[in-house]
Amino acid sequence: MKRVTKRSFLAATLTATAILATQCERRPLVEAGNTHYVRVYLDEEIKNVTTGFYDPSLPTPEYATPDVLRVVLYDQKHNRTAAERYLRNRNTDARGTYFDGYIIAEPGDYRLMTYNFGTESTIIDQSHIYDGAMAYTNEISSVLKNSLSVRADEEERIVYVPDHLFVDRNETLRLDYGPDIDTLQNSAGDHFTAGSIVLSYYLQIRVKGAEWISSAVGLLSGMAGSATLHDGNGRSEDPVTLYFEMQRGGMDSSEPFIYTTFHTFGKLPDRNNSLAVTFDVRTTDGRALTTTLDITDEFSKPNAIDHQWILLEEVLVIPEPPQDSDGDGFTPEVDDWEDIQTDIII
């Protein structure tokens, strides 16, 4: 009897388990109608970085396709974050590089913004507000600032140049409920395309005596230190001086030069300010030579407008080292450091 009872109990248990199994069903964590597919292409045609070089024989600036894009939906009424998603799935087709994924949001009226996440020097602030989100860069380190031979305008911060920031925005986006996953589209009925709000300029000046240059940096004043993401415009209330390193070129030619490609949020908008570039040069024998040029008019020349090339006509003249100098340079003690400022003859 005991054996029969155990068998009956086991059979009943298995039957109950089978019944429960047939009654269970897997349900998605969210309804498909609230899930939206989004695809964002990158416009990587960047002048002086990936295309449009003044001198293709020179080394090109470093550039890497972003790894992550952030997609944000802001509610229309308060312009604040309602939903977000980080897109890490990167692919390429005939149109170019794109990121895609899914974002979950309830039906309603939104604004959409997307930008690349994880930039090295560009910092994003106030990203939870659609028209308040802005990009900026930090001031240069105290070590770099103290190494300069000339002191820039104290009213302007000296900052690093920004990384390229790819942004797209859509002012009006209506999400309706549907039983299936839909695809978010811009006002033209297409996928989104993010372009950089950062400009890259090629800057060059000829130098006589370039062989005596050990290092050279540039300081460009009167530039915008930040930009708002929703329109890509530089902020007039944030004037800065850009810091960038320069390289020697054309050393085997009759006209050597120093050059760089610097990145910027642009000139200060709606402001008649002068733009000045200071070249801070260290020579092989340890001299510090500086000169400042007004280049306001250069930005309105065809080369700057069409190509973002600033080709200065002036020639910097680096005097030869003194006869008693061995040309090997020197490394002064920190406590004994004194800035030696001498104008470079033009």
Side-chain angles (χ1 to χ4, degrees), residues 202-218:
Y202 175 81
L203 171 65
Q204 174 181 298
I205 186 168
R206 291 171 294 167
V207 180
K208 181 179 180 181
E211 64 270 21
W212 307 120
I213 294 179
S214 174
S215 65
V217 301

Side-chain angles (χ1 to χ4, degrees), residues 21-67:
T22 58
Q23 291 178 341
C24 294
E25 62 181 73
R26 296 182 181 274
R27 295 183 178 180
L29 296 177
V30 296
E31 296 185 35
N34 288 340
T35 303
H36 313 276
Y37 174 76
V38 58
R39 177 182 294 192
V40 183
Y41 283 91
L42 295 183
D43 181 1
E44 297 183 286
E45 292 289 310
I46 306 172
K47 290 182 179 179
N48 302 308
V49 175
T50 61
T51 187
F53 301 106
Y54 172 72
D55 187 347
S57 68
L58 296 175
T60 58
E62 292 184 3
Y63 171 76
T65 299
D67 294 321

Side-chain angles (χ1 to χ4, degrees), residues 99-317:
F99 291 78
D100 66 349
Y102 299 88
I103 188 169
I104 300 170
E106 297 181 354
D109 295 313
Y110 297 94
R111 288 183 170 92
L112 180 144
M113 183 185 297
T114 179
Y115 59 88
N116 57 301
F117 187 79
T119 50
E120 182 177 352
S121 61
T122 302
I123 302 170
I124 308 299
D125 193 20
Q126 300 291 323
S127 62
H128 61 289
I129 305 174
Y130 179 79
D131 53 9
M134 65 177 182
Y136 68 97
T137 60
N138 280 327
E139 292 188 50
I140 63 174
S141 68
S142 58
V143 175
L144 282 180
K145 193 169 185 180
N146 291 334
S147 70
L148 298 175
S149 302
V150 63
R151 299 295 180 257
D153 187 348
E154 295 296 333
E155 294 183 359
E156 292 191 357
R157 298 179 297 116
I158 305 177
V159 302
Y160 296 105
V161 296
D163 304 310
H164 276 280
L165 184 67
F166 296 89
V167 181
D168 194 15
R169 71 289 280 179
N170 202 86
E171 290 286 339
T172 304
L173 190 66
R174 173 68 184 177
L175 300 186
D176 295 316
Y177 178 80
D180 302 316
I181 296 175
D182 63 357
T183 298
L184 300 186
Q185 297 177 328
N186 60 23
S187 58
D190 194 5
H191 294 299
F192 303 100
T193 299
S196 181
I197 64 173
V198 172
L199 301 174
S200 292
Y201 284 87
Y202 175 81
L203 171 65
Q204 174 181 298
I205 186 168
R206 291 171 294 167
V207 180
K208 181 179 180 181
E211 64 270 21
W212 307 120
I213 294 179
S214 174
S215 65
V217 301
L219 300 169
L220 178 57
S221 64
M223 306 302 287
S226 55
T228 45
L229 269 62
H230 76 280
D231 56 11
N233 291 334
R235 300 173 67 242
S236 59
E237 61 270 34
D238 187 20
V240 298
T241 295
L242 296 179
Y243 170 94
F244 43 81
E245 297 181 352
M246 306 198 69
Q247 308 297 325
R248 297 187 304 176
M251 298 303 294
D252 297 332
S253 69
S254 59
E255 291 189 338
F257 52 88
I258 56 175
Y259 71 96
T260 193
T261 298
F262 67 87
H263 315 308
T264 175
F265 294 118
K267 299 185 301 178
L268 293 175
D270 302 325
R271 178 171 169 176
N272 295 323
N273 65 307
S274 60
L275 304 176
V277 60
T278 296
F279 297 104
D280 191 337
V281 174
R282 294 298 173 113
T283 64
T284 55
D285 62 312
R287 289 170 294 156
L289 309 176
T290 64
T291 193
T292 300
L293 303 176
D294 187 332
I295 62 171
T296 305
D297 295 337
E298 295 294 333
F299 281 86
S300 59
K301 292 183 177 180
N303 273 332
I305 296 174
D306 299 334
H307 306 290
Q308 293 164 205
W309 299 339
I310 300 176
L311 310 173
L312 302 182
E313 298 178 357
E314 293 83 356
V315 178
L316 302 183
V317 179

